[in-house]
Amino acid sequence: MELIYLDGLSPTTRTGGVLKFLIEQGGVDKMHIGKILINDGLATAELESNKTAKVVKRLDGAVLYGRKVAAWMQRGDQAHFAQFDRWLAMEAEAERKVAADKKRQRDYGLNRLAIRTEDVGLGGRTLVLLAPKNESVKLPYTKLGSGTPILLTEEGTASPRSWRGIVSKVTRAGIELALNQSPESEAGTYAITLASDEIGRQRMQRAMTRAASANGTPLATLRDVLLGEAEAEQARAPQANFIPAAHLNDAQLGAIAFALAAEQVAIIHGPPGTGKTTTLTALILAAVARGDKILACAPSNLAVDNLAARLAAAGANIVRVGHPVRVHKIVRPYALDVLVEQHPDYRRAKKTRKEAAALNRDAGKWKRAAPEKGAKRGMRDEARELFDEARQMETAAIESVMNAADVVLATLTGIDSNTLGQRQFDLCVIDEAGQSTEPASWIPIVRAKRLVLAGDHQQLPPTVISQAAEQAGFGVSLLERLITTQPGLARRLDVQYRMHGQIMGFSSAEFYDDSLIAHDSVAGHLLTDLPSVTAVPITETPLEFIDTAGASYDEEQAADSKSRTNSQEAALAIKKVTQLQENGVAADQIALITPYSDQVNLLRELLPDEIEVSSVDGFQGREKEVIIISLVRSNSDGEIGFLAETRRMNVALTRARRKLIVIGDSATIASDPFFGRFIDYTETHMAYRSVWEEM
């Protein structure tokens, strides 16, 4: 037996429907069909090996229940994809172990919460606001954030019920959830826990199977180039309609021209502050002007929405695919759910659903007079037909909205055949590609003829839980692998528009061959250039390293935690915030970042809400006028833990525009050559300070 894959099925498709499809349209004898499984719109069916190729040819592009189906057969596993299957299994096992960890359950769990308000949100979701039952208490620190999948569970009931949903918003006062249905519960309190989500992993495996099986198609050619088995081509005609924008520099224009000419793949390498998103926006607009249909993706909703906002502002015809709660309010008018709700077919479908529901209710009612024989069955049959009709109208509305879009935007794992069908694109653009594992990148790749990867492999790598899988290679993104093995595919941006030259200099030397150039508009800008800021030493200089060596600013670790705090560093950081505010720097221009979650929690407890406190990972892709970094580690053994992850530190050191303050113990951190060079750099620029000067 061989496997055949059928993708893009309707959510209501059952195995019987697939069996009938194989027999009637595939021409397969029932005796030659083995087991059929359906999961998330994908059917796998066993067929006798001498039948598979012909069946695939007949069924690829055929229509089942109003939907075009993609069909392919399983070929011999390519070693490249087979290793990712093993690593995904290792990652799944590591995730299960982590989920059982009590500290993680606390970090991603909340309890003794009461429902404060309940409302209806976009797409018919129920928005529920929960807060501590004790109204005088703030919401405890949690790693739950907007877009996190959760489980809401009753507390104090004999048989507690649960509801799946997504975190909509988190504040110090409470947490808002988007649920598919109202809890309709009278429980006194509720608990929130992190929900497992296997769908993303299944989509990765499906995409890799499809890529490995491609033969004689543009996908097969693209796959061979990405695996290094064929040479990439630069043969496309120049873009005749592309008028260079005045705000683009030579490196950005060169990267756009290179990407437009690529037959298979191009990489735009964007170090911090170099206008990568600006460049991608111009590239996509140029491709649309050429007549291309674009699929634009990123690993995170934040990155997708950032790109979507730029494109919308430029007048592009976009559709943002994804759960409405995960979509930023600025681009929510372009969300698929919102656009579909405005479509006439959807309004008709809504009315038809109500009629069907009413028929079902009437069929279930008991009446004094006995109904005519078969009347109730007839009502249920009519209701079923109306529901089918409503589904077809909803599908038509989605198709209409999607067909009108020039650019479809989604997260990598948010790409769903139920929504996109078997739609193919001329160009796929993946932003922040360095933060994604390679299997996730294949999800959009299988839908495109050409590919542009954008990002920076010298910033945050993909998040991998399994250390064994990471060490084996799972933590290497597709972008990093290609830049390493095929550097000719990449063009680097070299002018940055964020940082003062001194803030930029160390990162440029360490990670980018000292090639970054600070644009004239930022090269010398200081806090004193801002309105109402007083000229004092802290506002007149761009860079400070405050050395706590010898002052007994010792790190601390709770018995039940793997993280760390440094209360004296926290106090010093707060002192610097106070000095900045006293001299005219606004609260919303300051952020404190630290690599340790327990230090984040401590600082949030000590500072007012107006001052943003974040982990390094949480601040990726963002910037503030002032960044204060608390390194935390201070011990007699010179142990620095994951401070040694220099790419994470590169992110931390490049978030500030006009002022960067780093607080750390040189006696501890200088055991690592990276920090030794950083301290030397601050001394060279007269930016080194001893903590004793602060006392």
Side-chain angles (χ1 to χ4, degrees):
M1 288 285 197
E2 286 186 340
L3 286 180
I4 182 175
Y5 296 86
L6 302 173
D7 193 15
L9 306 182
S10 163
T12 57
T13 302
R14 300 291 180 262
T15 55
V18 173
L19 178 64
K20 186 178 179 182
F21 185 60
L22 290 168
I23 295 169
E24 294 183 355
Q25 297 199 47
V28 188
D29 190 298
K30 185 177 180 180
M31 300 296 293
H32 299 150
I33 301 173
K35 188 182 295 183
I36 298 174
L37 297 174
I38 300 177
N39 189 13
D40 189 34
L42 176 74
T44 57
E46 295 176 339
L47 299 183
E48 285 194 4
S49 57
N50 62 337
K51 306 290 182 186
T52 313
K54 288 183 180 178
V55 174
V56 165
K57 191 173 181 180
R58 289 174 185 149
L59 296 184
D60 191 32
V63 176
L64 175 62
Y65 297 141
R67 293 194 175 206
K68 188 182 287 187
V69 172
W72 68 91
M73 61 185 287
Q74 185 178 44
R75 300 182 186 276
D77 281 341
Q78 294 190 29
H80 184 77
F81 294 114
Q83 70 183 359
F84 280 116
D85 280 332
R86 292 193 297 272
W87 294 341
L88 282 168
M90 293 162 67
E91 183 74 352
E93 178 59 27
E95 287 177 1
R96 283 190 286 271
K97 290 180 179 178
V98 167
D101 180 76
K102 291 183 179 180
K103 174 67 165 61
R104 182 176 176 83
Q105 289 174 352
R106 285 199 302 273
D107 285 346
Y108 289 93
L110 296 166
N111 56 23
R112 296 195 58 74
L113 300 176
I115 293 178
R116 298 286 184 231
T117 62
E118 187 173 321
D119 201 356
V120 177
L122 289 170
R125 275 80 172 185
T126 299
L127 295 179
V128 177
L129 177 65
L130 297 105
K133 186 173 177 64
N134 183 344
E135 296 185 20
S136 64
V137 175
K138 288 185 177 181
L139 190 77
Y141 168 73
T142 177
K143 288 187 176 180
L144 293 170
S146 179
T148 306
I150 55 86
L151 205 62
L152 177 68
T153 305
E154 295 173 323
E155 291 180 324
T157 60
S159 301
R161 294 176 294 167
S162 296
W163 298 266
R164 286 186 175 271
I166 288 174
V167 176
S168 170
K169 183 171 58 177
V170 181
T171 67
R172 296 192 184 187
I175 181 169
E176 185 180 74
L177 309 179
L179 308 175
N180 288 333
Q181 64 183 89
S182 169
E184 295 182 357
S185 165
E186 297 181 0
T189 60
Y190 301 82
I192 298 174
T193 53
L194 188 67
S196 61
D197 186 1
E198 288 290 317
I199 293 175
R201 187 175 292 110
Q202 292 166 1
R203 289 176 181 169
M204 294 179 209
Q205 292 169 326
R206 178 188 311 181
M208 291 191 297
T209 302
R210 188 167 180 176
S213 302
N215 185 31
T217 63
L219 173 59
T221 304
L222 179 56
R223 175 202 63 207
D224 291 346
V225 170
L226 295 177
L227 298 186
E229 297 172 1
E231 290 290 327
E233 300 172 276
Q234 287 281 310
R236 294 186 68 80
Q239 174 56 41
N241 301 335
F242 177 45
I243 301 173
H247 63 279
L248 296 175
N249 60 49
D250 290 344
Q252 292 170 329
L253 290 170
I256 292 170
F258 179 73
L260 288 171
E263 279 289 352
Q264 289 89 29
V265 61
I267 297 171
I268 297 177
H269 180 192
T274 53
K276 171 177 56 63
T277 306
T278 298
T279 306
L280 281 188
T281 302
L283 166 66
I284 291 171
L285 293 173
V288 168
R290 185 165 63 187
D292 288 355
K293 291 287 188 178
I294 317 293
L295 176 60
C297 311
S300 70
N301 285 287
L302 179 64
V304 175
D305 289 340
N306 188 21
L307 187 56
R310 299 284 189 96
L311 289 166
N317 190 352
I318 69 169
V319 170
R320 171 66 163 96
V321 174
H323 196 296
V325 164
R326 287 174 163 153
V327 177
H328 193 280
K329 61 183 179 182
I330 292 175
V331 295
R332 207 165 278 162
Y334 307 95
L336 179 63
D337 290 58
V338 175
L339 294 171
V340 168
E341 283 181 352
Q342 298 167 0
H343 197 278
D345 283 345
Y346 181 82
R347 288 197 286 268
R348 286 196 293 271
K350 199 172 180 180
K351 183 179 178 181
T352 304
R353 277 187 177 278
K354 286 182 179 179
E355 293 174 10
L359 280 170
N360 265 340
R361 283 195 301 271
D362 288 346
K365 287 180 180 177
W366 181 87
K367 297 180 180 179
R368 285 180 177 275
E372 293 182 17
K373 188 176 182 180
K376 289 194 173 185
R377 181 175 179 179
M379 293 168 74
R380 290 194 176 97
D381 287 344
E382 185 180 352
R384 193 177 301 112
E385 289 175 4
L386 287 173
F387 277 127
D388 287 341
E389 187 180 333
R391 277 193 291 270
Q392 290 174 17
M393 285 188 281
E394 287 170 355
T395 299
I398 293 171
E399 284 292 302
S400 176
V401 170
M402 296 290 285
N403 288 338
D406 293 320
V407 187
V408 174
L409 298 107
T411 60
L412 297 172
T413 55
I415 294 171
D416 176 13
S417 292
N418 288 332
T419 302
L420 269 66
Q422 295 313 306
R423 194 169 271 99
Q424 294 290 305
F425 298 85
D426 300 297
L427 175 65
C428 169
V429 175
I430 303 179
D431 194 9
E432 303 294 2
Q435 295 180 43
S436 165
T437 61
E438 183 168 330
S441 295
W442 283 98
I443 300 174
I445 288 172
V446 299
R447 292 180 173 272
K449 299 173 185 175
R450 294 177 289 118
L451 172 67
V452 172
L453 299 171
D456 183 11
H457 60 295
Q458 299 290 9
Q459 295 188 60
L460 288 179
T463 299
V464 177
I465 297 173
S466 168
Q467 291 185 357
E470 183 173 31
Q471 291 168 3
F474 193 44
V476 178
S477 67
L478 177 60
L479 179 141
E480 181 178 2
R481 178 170 68 77
L482 290 177
I483 283 184
T484 303
T485 59
Q486 302 184 59
L489 295 176
R491 294 294 182 271
R492 183 193 289 171
L493 308 181
D494 57 13
V495 180
Q496 67 85 16
Y497 299 84
R498 175 187 298 159
M499 297 165 276
H500 186 285
Q502 283 188 22
I503 299 173
M504 173 200 75
F506 179 72
S507 176
S508 178
E510 282 288 316
F511 299 99
Y512 308 108
D513 307 316
D514 213 10
S515 64
L516 294 188
I517 302 164
H519 190 264
D520 290 344
S521 62
V522 301
H525 67 178
L526 295 166
L527 288 174
T528 49
D529 298 325
L530 296 173
S532 304
V533 174
T534 306
V536 294
I538 196 172
T539 61
E540 291 178 315
T541 56
L543 178 64
E544 287 183 42
F545 171 65
I546 303 176
D547 188 359
T548 65
S552 299
Y553 277 31
D554 297 332
E555 65 186 64
E556 301 145 317
Q557 183 176 19
D560 59 349
S561 175
K562 294 179 181 178
S563 187
R564 284 168 171 79
T565 60
N566 191 316
S567 57
Q568 290 167 298
E569 265 194 22
L572 178 55
I574 292 167
K575 180 180 177 181
K576 304 312 287 185
V577 170
T578 302
Q579 289 177 8
L580 289 162
Q581 289 188 284
E582 287 175 348
N583 288 285
V585 181
D588 62 2
Q589 295 172 329
I590 305 169
L592 284 81
I593 60 179
T594 175
Y596 288 92
S597 60
D598 284 1
Q599 186 79 343
V600 171
N601 195 18
L602 173 62
L603 286 165
R604 283 179 174 168
E605 289 175 357
L606 297 172
L607 285 164
D609 292 353
E610 293 77 21
I611 304 294
E612 185 172 1
V613 182
S614 176
S615 66
V616 178
D617 294 34
F619 220 78
Q620 165 75 6
R622 301 184 56 216
E623 61 185 57
K624 287 278 188 178
E625 300 294 350
V626 182
I627 294 291
I628 301 173
I629 302 173
S630 171
L631 295 177
V632 176
R633 299 311 296 264
S634 179
N635 56 73
S636 58
D637 300 321
E639 293 288 339
I640 66 169
F642 60 72
L643 290 187
E645 296 176 8
T646 56
R647 289 189 288 184
R648 179 168 276 105
M649 291 313 304
N650 185 32
V651 173
L653 295 171
T654 55
R655 300 303 98 197
R657 289 176 48 79
R658 300 171 192 261
K659 182 74 178 187
L660 172 65
I661 301 173
V662 182
I663 304 172
D665 179 355
S666 66
T668 299
I669 64 173
S671 61
D672 185 287
F674 173 86
F675 286 102
R677 291 191 295 273
F678 174 71
I679 294 169
D680 290 343
Y681 179 83
T682 61
E683 288 178 333
T684 300
H685 290 278
M686 308 297 290
Y688 175 90
R689 310 276 184 271
S690 170
V691 71
W692 302 106
E693 299 174 43
E694 302 292 330
M695 296 180 177

